[in-house]
Amino acid sequence: MADSPTMTYGGYLRLDDLLSCQEPKTRAHDELLFVIIHQVYELWFKQILHEAALLQSRMEEGNSGGSLHTARRIAKILKTVVGQLDVLETMTPRQFASFRDALGNSSGFQSEQFREIEAVLGRRSFPASDLRGDERLRAAVSRPSVFDSLLRYLAGRGHPVPREALERDFSLPWEPDPGVQKVLLAVYADESGPAAEVCEALVDVDEGIQEWRYRHLKMVERTIGAKIGTGGSAGADYLRSTLFAPAFPDLWEVRSQTEEVPVHGG
């Protein structure tokens, strides 16, 4: 279809619709910032899901360069998402309190897109109520995760990935596997090879998610302290329980198994 000569910047981006989506419930100055930051989060979450689908497709096709590029883009988006917290943290506890009651039962823990991101990265333990009300989440927990796609990628490159790992029940949580870790050690032995680069790019993504959790926790602590979160969530306590839980534990475990390579003098 040819480009429309009447297409405008505002029309293409549907700015009238986009800019009418901010409806603060109070007259508090800082509520608009709160709304915009969280709406932008959801836009970035949408893009992460879009990129994650491409990443899995590229890995399963054996496309090393494409997989690397897409994983790196996801990691960059996560850096941007984390950086937005710097803006949100300019809001003081008193400024947040000026409109907090208007949030009612709403909570960031209700983000369907972030739950889907967690599922795509391998989380399977969701409350039944979340699964009942979210068709996309139900689909995500029943199909291969990003790590499953990595295993298929490695198998396609000739690495002896255990068959039981490739043919597992994808609806169950992944359990760290010594056989898979042995394969990963072999992959990392050729650290300049494409497979090792793809693995490291996934570590960047995993680290980005963990960084987001940590920064989100500190933002909540400095804004509401130990209070119960909006929507009745456990607030900081819940966030603290999710820290340091990697999406791809095997990629972290092999670091403690890597032996020092001797350097031979000339």
Side-chain angles (χ1 to χ4, degrees), residues 165-192:
L166 295 170
E167 298 176 356
R168 75 185 193 89
D169 182 346
F170 301 121
S171 68
L172 298 177
W174 170 261
E175 297 292 339
D177 185 287
V180 167
Q181 292 167 20
K182 183 177 179 181
V183 170
L184 292 173
L185 283 169
V187 168
Y188 276 112
D190 180 16
E191 61 183 13
S192 63

Side-chain angles (χ1 to χ4, degrees), residues 9-265:
Y9 174 80
Y12 178 71
L13 296 177
R14 296 182 60 184
L15 291 183
D16 286 345
D17 293 330
L18 180 65
L19 298 179
S20 66
C21 290
Q22 296 76 47
E23 297 183 355
K25 304 302 180 185
T26 72
R27 297 175 63 86
H29 175 84
D30 289 275
E31 188 180 358
L32 179 62
L33 172 67
F34 187 85
V35 169
I36 287 177
I37 287 285
H38 285 81
Q39 287 183 341
V40 172
Y41 278 151
E42 291 296 330
L43 290 173
W44 280 128
F45 292 164
K46 181 176 183 178
Q47 188 65 33
I48 288 172
L49 289 167
H50 185 60
E51 299 294 345
L54 179 62
L55 172 61
Q56 290 192 255
S57 175
R58 284 179 162 177
M59 285 196 292
E60 297 193 18
E61 292 168 358
N63 182 344
S64 299
S67 299
L68 185 61
H69 178 269
T70 306
R72 285 175 171 170
R73 175 178 288 178
I74 294 172
K76 291 288 188 183
I77 292 172
L78 288 168
K79 288 289 186 186
T80 299
V81 167
V82 169
Q84 288 179 192
L85 288 167
D86 291 339
V87 182
L88 197 56
E89 286 181 343
T90 64
M91 185 171 58
T92 68
R94 185 175 295 277
Q95 288 166 340
F96 179 56
S98 68
F99 64 86
R100 188 185 184 208
D101 287 347
L103 301 180
N105 291 326
S106 64
S107 167
F109 299 110
Q110 296 166 354
S111 171
E112 293 182 357
Q113 289 196 118
F114 190 73
R115 285 201 299 262
E116 187 178 351
I117 290 171
E118 290 183 309
V120 167
L121 294 177
R123 182 183 171 188
R124 294 294 180 263
S125 57
F126 292 94
S129 57
D130 288 349
L131 292 169
R132 277 196 303 271
D134 191 337
E135 182 178 347
R136 287 178 60 109
L137 184 61
R138 289 199 305 273
V141 299
S142 65
R143 63 175 182 257
S145 69
V146 168
F147 192 72
D148 290 311
S149 295
L150 173 67
L151 296 183
R152 294 180 180 186
Y153 163 77
L154 295 176
R157 294 184 61 83
H159 292 282
V161 179
R163 177 174 294 183
E164 57 269 23
L166 295 170
E167 298 176 356
R168 75 185 193 89
D169 182 346
F170 301 121
S171 68
L172 298 177
W174 170 261
E175 297 292 339
D177 185 287
V180 167
Q181 292 167 20
K182 183 177 179 181
V183 170
L184 292 173
L185 283 169
V187 168
Y188 276 112
D190 180 16
E191 61 183 13
S192 63
E197 290 189 327
V198 170
C199 287
E200 280 300 274
L202 291 188
V203 171
D204 289 338
V205 171
D206 198 345
E207 189 171 357
I209 288 289
Q210 292 185 63
E211 185 179 6
W212 154 254
R213 292 186 187 283
Y214 173 76
R215 286 296 310 279
H216 190 194
L217 166 65
K218 301 313 291 185
M219 181 274 293
V220 169
E221 286 183 336
R222 69 184 288 167
T223 304
I224 65 172
K227 295 177 185 176
I228 295 296
T230 53
S233 66
D237 283 345
Y238 170 81
L239 289 170
R240 197 175 293 109
S241 74
T242 66
L243 293 182
F244 312 118
F248 314 130
D250 300 83
L251 287 172
W252 295 91
E253 177 59 31
V254 294
R255 279 153 169 73
S256 62
Q257 300 175 17
T258 302
E259 297 180 356
E260 184 177 349
V261 179
V263 178
H264 299 287

